[in-house]
Amino acid sequence: MEIFSHLGIGIEAAFSFSALLNCLIGVTLGTFIGVLPGVGPLATIAILLPVTFSHEPTDALIMLAGIYYGAQYGGSTASILLNVPGTATSAVTCLDGYPMAQQGRAGVALFITTIASFFGSFVGVILVAGFAPLLAAFALQFSAAEYFSLMVLGLIAASLVGRGAPLRSVAMVVVGLLLGIVGIDVNTAEFRFTYGVMELADGIHLVIVATGMFGVAEIISSLVRPPERRVASRDITWRSLLPTREDMRRSWGPMLRGTSIGSLFGALPGTGSTIASFIAYATEVKIAKEPERFGRGAVEGVSAPESANNAAAQTAFIPTLTLGIPGDAVMAVMIGALMIHGIIPGPRLIVEQPSLFWGLIVSFMIGNVMLVILNLPLIGIWVRILSIPYSALFPSILVFICVGVYSIRNSAFDVLMVVIFGLVGYGLKILRFEPAPLLLGLVLGPMMEENFRRALLISRGSAWVFVERPISAAFLLSTVALIAWITIERIRGRKEREAEA
Amino acid sequence: MRIARLALAAMAGLSLLGGAAAAEDYPTQAITIVVPYSAGGTTDTVARIVADGLSQELGQPVIVENKPGTSGIIGAEYVARAKPDGYTLLMGTISTHATNASLFGELPYDPIKDFEPVALAAQSPNMLIVNPDVPAKTLEELVQLLKDNPGKYTYGSNGAGTSQHLTAESFKAATGTDILHVPYKGSGSMILDVIAGNIDMSFDNMPTALAQMKAGTVRGLAVTSAKPVPQAPDMPTIATVVPGFTSGSWQGLFAPAGIDEEKLKTLVDASEKVLAKPDVQEKLQGLGATAGDKAGAEFKEFVQSETNRWADVIAKAGIQKN
């Protein structure tokens, strides 16, 4: 078996003292910056880049990668405890994670998150180890038309995310799509909806909207109507942190589906873990027997997206390492890190640098085990945050939000935007509009537009390109089938209700 | 706006009076290099390599601060308005100091008047790559192919108005060919589309293009620099077929206008020393760049000539101002 000799090379590289130390530093740092709202892996990795100049390239990459996937573990902590997404990829975890915390089940949510994250990551790593070239070849089949059709499917499938009325959800998706238009148009470099404000020219950052609409809005509404009872610190026992057998039984399916969805999206350059987590959540809502449980603390709503974003964080290394093409901005920085060391990632990296590639894979496995060992005891500490009276807690949350958002672009304007989105979010909350579909529109909208226009540009304006290409056609067909299915369900549901009445 | 400028000039004058005595022992505190792009991009990495070297040379920490946004305008404007005390510098680029002036109707800063050029930090040529199925094996064949098939072939860029887009437009103008522009948001998905054959060619960043070429996924035809590059010594320059054609992006260190001459000299000397160091040159080469070889007045001339030249390309390509 070739794979074992490869893993042997990797084990040799990843079990050296310096590699283990770098892995530990990376994942620990990743967990903490993941917890802090706004402060993301991108800025952290870029700032630490010069520190790695003096490292061995493998060690440098092990540490930087550790920050990246470690942040996916930490990202959900603030989502669950405070309704403030720690990273964009865990915004969707707020939907059920925070209600779980309000029901006194924060420990369980964090525990499930850790397990789901580990599961997603580990499967992701195995896919990278075993099937990287295959998945990379699959990714090459995707042109602009396929991306667009996949996004259409994703948008339709997920537009009913959340518990609100479908029409309200659709309205929020549209608002999200409109917000996504703000900024310089890629094709013409024309300013759109910026109204002369230079700071808007690069668009509205997802983290700002997510932090404002979930985090700041939550703070406002908590202050208007204080939660009845905070968790008392003596109530926190180990038992209360552990998921019940029922929780675990409910979570396996979502973890498996979330991992599959996450692995697919991660391997496609340019889509990324945020979309994966949304789609995974939406899938669970769609196939659930009791969809009304979602948004009220359903454990599936935590395990699916967390498996998905972690799996995606691992498979995102596939295009990077096998094709030399960065799937997202963080991966671009990592490629930069390698280039400074004179290693240029490309299709021949696995052959030319086997100890780098396999060392990295084995370090992912080690890193994920470290993350579980690190995160499980931390749950006890995080949960204690909830025993702090809210009046004492919220100023620090606000400070963290401001610092985090400021750190994205070192821009005070962005801090102002968070406040505005917080107020808007609070207003929408009163009107019972859900913020999640808006975020989805904001994430998918710009990508859909970009790929739609590119597909048409390349096809010289022929819209047939979307159905002529088989993968694209399959996505569109699935979309039609999904719409038909939902419509039939609705009509049947109405008839049943009428019959009962 | 005008009042602000005047106030700024007055402030600059005052700080000149006060700064004369202090100039001898400059720098006495940390220097900040503002990068007008996100952390992790080429400009950011170049700035961090230079900052690392400068802090060793000047004996003070040199910090990189990212102020990204709108083709570098936000960061450049910030430095243009900063106190010219030598403690706030800008890692300017071909965008902030050459092309923006022609691409945007009204810039909130003047690339020439608001800055004092310190040193060219790095220059990065692009490499013309084509999908292996494109039936042109050499640059001559490609130009002929494009002339025979106007509008049939496509090229990718990482956005309208970027140096890749302008390089291609300038190539089209110089060769009299017509290639369809397909813009992308980042160069990652663009090179993937060249490999997959969804688009035919691009003027891509050297390191990635070179790695793909070595793996046989794309065919490299030429580089845009004036001389062949050390990373690919056998690759011809475009100038061998299109006389006089050079292009590529660059980064350079700028101080706000009004900086004390002594301080400027300190910075220019230190930058020259840093950029001559073999380890710095090696790191920049890893990024596909060559270390800058122009400082002070020479760099100033370079900036002016780049501004004029791209204004010409942009006007000829009919790219509208915003």
Side-chain angles (χ1 to χ4, degrees):
Chain A
M1 284 292 280
E2 210 181 358
I3 183 107
F4 290 112
S5 69
H6 285 152
L7 286 176
I9 302 171
I11 287 166
E12 209 173 299
F15 273 96
S16 74
F17 176 72
S18 65
L20 286 173
L21 185 69
N22 276 298
C23 188
L24 182 65
I25 294 172
V27 296
T28 311
L29 206 58
T31 301
F32 285 102
I33 58 129
V35 171
L36 292 177
V39 183
L42 179 61
T44 314
I45 291 173
I47 289 161
L48 283 179
L49 198 57
V51 178
T52 65
F53 285 173
S54 56
H55 287 44
E56 282 292 306
T58 309
D59 291 352
L61 209 62
I62 283 175
M63 182 174 96
L64 298 177
I67 296 172
Y68 180 61
Y69 59 81
Q72 309 293 334
Y73 273 75
S76 47
T77 307
S79 302
I80 291 168
L81 296 177
L82 309 167
N83 209 21
V84 183
T87 52
T89 56
S90 54
V92 76
T93 310
C94 290
L95 298 180
D96 278 282
Y98 187 63
M100 280 182 82
Q102 285 178 314
Q103 294 155 15
R105 281 162 52 79
V108 177
L110 290 170
F111 196 98
I112 290 278
T113 299
T114 307
I115 301 297
S117 298
F118 180 75
F119 183 80
S121 292
F122 220 81
V123 174
V125 176
I126 291 168
L127 287 174
V128 180
F131 306 100
L134 212 70
L135 279 163
F138 175 67
L140 272 176
Q141 302 289 312
F142 275 64
S143 73
E146 280 80 14
Y147 275 110
F148 172 74
S149 303
L150 175 65
M151 302 286 149
V152 171
L153 174 61
L155 192 68
I156 298 290
S159 61
L160 302 176
V161 169
R163 60 199 150 172
L167 204 58
R168 283 166 190 260
S169 287
V170 172
M172 291 301 273
V173 169
V174 173
V175 174
L177 291 173
L178 286 174
L179 285 176
I181 294 175
V182 175
I184 294 180
D185 171 32
V186 188
N187 288 48
T188 61
E190 205 69 44
F191 287 108
R192 298 192 301 192
F193 300 108
T194 58
Y195 304 102
V197 181
M198 273 291 176
E199 281 83 357
L200 283 177
D202 282 347
I204 300 171
H205 204 290
L206 173 72
V207 171
I208 292 169
V209 182
T211 316
M213 297 196 88
F214 283 103
V216 179
E218 178 60 34
I219 292 173
I220 300 172
S221 60
S222 293
L223 292 178
V224 172
R225 179 182 46 78
E228 300 81 44
R229 201 181 74 98
R230 305 289 298 170
V231 182
S233 144
R234 62 184 146 70
D235 289 351
I236 303 163
T237 58
W238 257 110
R239 185 159 288 273
S240 74
L241 302 182
L242 292 177
T244 60
R245 190 164 293 176
E246 173 70 6
D247 289 329
M248 289 314 287
R249 191 186 59 77
R250 281 183 187 277
S251 290
W252 285 116
M255 278 189 214
L256 275 173
R257 287 185 288 271
T259 302
S260 322
I261 291 166
S263 304
L264 171 74
F265 277 89
L268 291 176
T271 51
S273 35
T274 308
I275 297 179
S277 61
F278 270 99
I279 306 284
Y281 184 87
T283 309
E284 292 309 316
V285 178
K286 277 277 128 354
I287 65 168
K289 290 204 182 73
E290 309 150 275
E292 60 279 359
R293 282 178 51 246
F294 282 83
R296 298 195 170 93
V299 72
E300 299 94 315
V302 174
S303 44
E306 284 303 313
S307 302
N309 64 30
N310 281 277
Q314 299 295 352
T315 54
F317 282 92
I318 291 176
T320 311
L321 294 174
T322 56
L323 301 170
I325 284 155
D328 60 20
V330 179
M331 288 296 152
V333 179
M334 288 207 223
I335 287 187
L338 282 177
M339 290 195 313
I340 287 175
H341 286 287
I343 297 169
I344 295 157
R348 287 158 58 86
L349 180 89
I350 305 180
V351 186
E352 285 173 355
Q353 304 276 348
S355 84
L356 174 80
F357 180 81
W358 294 104
L360 202 56
I361 302 279
V362 174
S363 92
F364 290 169
M365 299 180 181
I366 302 170
N368 276 297
V369 173
M370 284 180 180
L371 278 165
V372 171
I373 298 171
L374 178 73
N375 274 277
L376 286 182
L378 276 177
I379 294 174
I381 298 169
W382 296 136
V383 172
R384 258 161 244 276
I385 290 178
L386 292 180
S387 60
I388 303 170
Y390 201 74
S391 54
L393 190 60
F394 86 86
S396 0
I397 305 176
L398 269 181
V399 168
F400 275 123
I401 289 178
C402 290
V403 171
V405 165
Y406 181 79
S407 76
I408 302 172
R409 298 196 297 187
N410 291 328
S411 152
F413 180 83
D414 289 348
V415 179
L416 190 69
M417 292 280 283
V418 157
V419 177
I420 294 171
F421 277 106
L423 292 173
V424 171
Y426 178 63
L428 291 171
K429 210 169 174 161
I430 294 174
L431 299 170
R432 288 183 295 117
F433 282 96
E434 293 288 316
L438 184 146
L439 288 189
L440 187 78
L442 183 61
V443 174
L444 287 180
M447 295 183 66
M448 271 174 80
E449 187 202 350
E450 192 191 341
N451 284 296
F452 179 69
R453 289 170 70 178
R454 183 178 306 142
L456 287 181
L457 201 56
I458 294 174
S459 77
R460 305 299 200 277
S462 160
W464 288 109
V465 64
F466 297 107
V467 287
E468 276 166 5
R469 300 184 64 108
I471 299 179
S472 168
F475 284 135
L476 289 181
L477 210 66
S478 314
T479 312
V480 174
L482 187 69
I483 294 172
W485 182 49
I486 293 174
T487 319
I488 292 168
E489 287 261 290
R490 281 272 149 74
I491 295 168
R492 194 177 291 161
R494 190 172 297 163
K495 273 189 186 150
E496 270 168 25
R497 250 174 282 134
E498 276 164 11
E500 276 167 30
Chain B
M1 210 42 219
R2 178 145 300 171
I3 291 169
R5 279 268 160 76
L6 276 175
L8 212 70
M11 266 162 57
L14 280 177
S15 68
L16 263 179
L17 290 175
E24 289 151 37
D25 38 57
Y26 166 81
T28 55
Q29 62 182 74
I31 296 174
T32 302
I33 298 181
V34 172
V35 170
Y37 291 92
S38 302
T42 309
T43 306
D44 180 64
T45 315
V46 167
R48 284 176 202 273
I49 293 170
V50 171
D52 203 34
L54 278 180
S55 71
Q56 284 168 28
E57 205 58 50
L58 297 169
Q60 286 290 343
V62 180
I63 300 155
V64 170
E65 193 178 324
N66 302 83
K67 291 224 175 258
T70 330
S71 293
I73 291 176
I74 290 179
E77 182 192 1
Y78 176 82
V79 176
R81 292 187 184 172
K83 214 158 92 182
D85 56 6
Y87 292 104
T88 308
L89 307 173
L90 176 76
M91 187 52 78
T93 67
I94 182 171
S95 296
T96 61
H97 280 78
T99 58
N100 277 357
S102 310
L103 290 170
F104 294 89
E106 204 178 320
L107 279 185
Y109 64 93
D110 187 317
I112 305 288
K113 284 186 196 141
D114 288 349
F115 292 91
E116 200 59 66
V118 177
L120 181 67
Q123 270 185 297
S124 324
N126 291 328
M127 185 186 273
L128 173 58
I129 52 167
V130 296
N131 176 274
D133 292 337
V134 172
K137 307 275 185 233
T138 63
L139 182 60
E140 287 95 337
E141 286 176 27
L142 181 73
V143 173
Q144 197 52 53
L145 186 73
L146 293 170
K147 278 186 178 158
D148 295 342
N149 300 282
K152 190 184 159 216
Y153 288 90
T154 52
Y155 79 89
S157 83
N158 51 9
T162 59
S163 119
Q164 291 183 355
H165 173 209
L166 298 177
T167 299
E169 287 304 321
S170 139
F171 177 78
K172 277 162 69 175
T175 52
T177 51
D178 180 15
I179 328 168
L180 179 70
H181 176 211
V182 183
Y184 288 75
K185 258 186 192 162
S187 66
S189 32
M190 175 184 72
I191 196 162
L192 197 65
D193 270 3
V194 179
I195 296 169
N198 296 320
I199 53 172
D200 302 303
M201 68 196 82
S202 80
F203 289 86
D204 216 318
N205 299 327
M206 276 273 303
T208 12
L210 205 60
Q212 298 297 339
M213 188 189 91
K214 282 186 180 154
T217 50
V218 300
R219 186 183 298 136
L221 294 184
V223 287
T224 63
S225 49
K227 280 179 272 181
V229 290
Q231 293 94 333
D234 300 333
M235 173 136 334
T237 63
I238 292 187
T240 55
V241 175
V242 189
F245 185 94
T246 59
S247 182
S249 54
W250 50 265
Q251 286 83 21
L253 203 57
F254 291 83
I259 183 175
D260 181 284
E261 263 180 48
E262 293 275 311
K263 287 180 178 177
L264 182 65
K265 194 171 175 320
T266 309
L267 285 172
V268 169
D269 291 348
S271 308
E272 278 189 311
K273 270 189 201 147
V274 167
L275 291 163
K277 280 186 183 171
D279 66 313
V280 170
Q281 297 192 338
E282 209 174 294
K283 279 182 194 138
L284 291 172
Q285 219 171 79
L287 292 173
T290 46
D293 53 359
K294 296 173 180 67
E298 214 185 328
F299 178 41
K300 200 171 188 165
E301 268 171 45
F302 174 78
V303 173
Q304 187 63 61
S305 79
E306 283 282 291
T307 307
N308 299 343
R309 168 199 168 183
W310 290 112
D312 202 38
V313 171
I314 290 162
K316 272 190 192 150
I319 299 163
Q320 274 176 357
K321 276 192 181 194
N322 254 321

